[in-house]
Amino acid sequence: MGWEIEDERTVSDSVVPPPGEQRDDVSLLVLRGPDLGKRFPLMPPGGVIGRQLDCSICLRDPNVSRRHALIELADGRVMLSDLGSRNGVFVNGARVSRAELFDGNDLQLSSDSVLRVRFQDPGEAKLLDELYGAVVTDGVTGVSNRRYLEHRLSQELSHTRRHSDPCCVVLIDVDGFRRVVAADGQSGGDGLLRAIAELIRASSRLEDEVARFSAAQLAVILRSATAEQGMVFGERICQLVRERVFDVREVAISATVSIGVASFEPGRFDVKGADELLDRAETALYRAKSSGKDRVACSDSGNEAPDGPS
């Protein structure tokens, strides 16, 4: 038996041909580093790459200088200049002070950060941005999702092993979240979680990673932070949430959070991988909740922060 085609007519359509001449967008795609997968578009006349907030391309890597390199776009060329950075600028493995960049060139600014030069059709560039957002971002809170959190944490642990630099994970659970959902619906619970995520992100450093960990939990990766520094951060978040009245869909909601802290500090607190560090933070979190909530517990010290005011 063969295929039977009932209707062989081709549907009429209006096809608009693409413009004859269309310049490709120039961008830098992060291949390795805290901003893995993110695309930074470059617009004439160019801009500065660095970790300073006002840089055109701001990277969350402490090994990148505040103003690391300059990108210039003019006359159809892309020029790169080192701005006297501490760790130098490498193009395809060779250190340069000034060089022209071409499609596919790899640009390395530190042991952790590698970017690739891309010349792309604007439509392709837009699609990549949309895919990046869908893959790494939690749709409810706007912060990173758990999948990206786990990948980023594995990167941070590798950085810790190479540089003997501590790394801390802070898990944050919204106390009484189910009661909020029961009273104000799922949209009310989502709104509260989103508001708390925004508060935490505003209280974090550029190089830290804030992510949704589970239905009512958020997580923060604190680079170069010890367990003690993680406790201080957690206590500050507890206080900020406790003192804030959140406006969720024109309903005033008060909340508290319980927090668990765990760190990887070579020679002091060691872990085999990201899963173990997250498990330790979860254990500390459950201890904080079972001890009365609205407090911080640390898996590494066995201590808890003092109770918040009732």
Side-chain angles (χ1 to χ4, degrees):
M1 296 178 60
W3 291 99
E4 295 183 4
I5 303 176
E6 296 180 358
D7 191 348
E8 296 183 353
R9 292 174 298 176
T10 300
V11 178
S12 298
D13 191 12
S14 177
V15 179
V16 179
E21 286 293 330
Q22 190 174 32
R23 290 183 59 86
D24 286 343
D25 284 348
V26 182
S27 63
L28 295 178
L29 178 67
V30 181
L31 297 184
R32 194 170 76 219
D35 295 289
L36 176 71
K38 187 172 183 179
R39 189 184 73 91
F40 291 95
L42 299 172
M43 303 296 292
V48 174
I49 306 173
R51 74 172 195 275
Q52 197 162 289
L53 288 176
D54 62 354
C55 289
S56 303
I57 300 175
C58 183
L59 300 176
R60 299 180 299 166
D61 182 352
N63 297 314
V64 170
S65 296
R66 294 182 184 276
R67 295 175 62 84
H68 199 108
L70 173 67
I71 297 276
E72 298 171 279
L73 282 71
D75 302 324
R77 304 176 70 193
V78 182
M79 301 300 300
L80 170 73
S81 300
D82 189 345
L83 295 179
S85 62
R86 176 181 293 274
N87 294 315
V89 176
F90 296 79
V91 176
N92 293 339
R95 185 163 187 167
V96 300
S97 58
R98 183 171 172 81
E100 183 174 1
L101 298 178
F102 300 94
D103 186 32
N105 283 169
D106 286 344
L107 172 60
Q108 184 163 0
L109 306 177
S110 75
S111 58
D112 290 328
S113 289
V114 178
L115 302 87
R116 176 162 294 170
V117 181
R118 297 297 305 272
F119 292 9
Q120 294 169 306
D121 172 84
E124 180 187 357
K126 181 181 179 181
L127 176 60
L128 285 177
D129 289 342
E130 292 173 352
L131 290 174
Y132 173 79
V135 168
V136 307
T137 306
D138 174 64
V140 171
T141 61
V143 297
S144 300
N145 58 29
R146 178 162 179 169
R147 179 181 179 183
Y148 184 77
L149 169 79
E150 293 173 345
H151 182 86
R152 173 76 191 279
L153 183 55
S154 295
Q155 283 191 323
E156 289 300 317
L157 297 186
S158 296
H159 171 88
T160 295
R161 292 187 180 94
R162 288 197 304 271
H163 301 283
S164 297
D165 201 23
C167 174
C168 187
V169 169
V170 178
L171 285 188
I172 302 158
D173 184 272
V174 181
D175 297 327
F177 185 77
R178 290 183 180 177
R179 289 197 300 272
V180 174
V181 173
D184 302 296
Q186 187 61 52
S187 59
D190 290 346
L192 176 61
L193 191 65
R194 181 166 52 251
I196 292 176
E198 291 172 355
L199 177 65
I200 294 170
R201 183 157 54 182
S203 305
S204 304
R205 302 168 301 174
L206 178 67
E207 62 267 29
D208 299 332
E209 188 70 49
V210 182
R212 187 175 186 180
F213 188 69
S214 66
Q217 294 179 349
L218 300 162
V220 186
I221 302 173
L222 302 175
R223 174 176 269 201
S224 303
T226 62
E228 291 78 10
Q229 291 169 323
M231 288 283 286
V232 171
F233 175 83
E235 290 164 17
R236 185 169 76 250
I237 296 301
C238 269
Q239 181 179 358
L240 288 172
V241 173
R242 184 189 309 125
E243 296 176 350
R244 178 74 62 90
V245 177
F246 298 94
D247 183 6
V248 180
R249 301 179 65 208
E250 300 183 352
V251 175
I253 300 179
S254 296
T256 61
V257 293
S258 298
I259 296 178
V261 176
S263 69
F264 175 29
E265 302 172 43
R268 186 183 180 204
F269 304 124
D270 292 320
V271 295
K272 295 179 181 179
D275 288 344
E276 182 181 343
L277 188 58
L278 289 170
D279 286 345
R280 285 168 47 191
E282 278 193 285
T283 300
L285 171 61
Y286 295 145
R287 190 166 74 247
K289 294 188 76 68
S290 64
S291 299
K293 303 179 182 179
D294 188 20
R295 67 188 65 202
V296 185
C298 182
S299 71
D300 302 318
S301 66
N303 297 323
E304 296 174 9
D307 295 0
S310 58

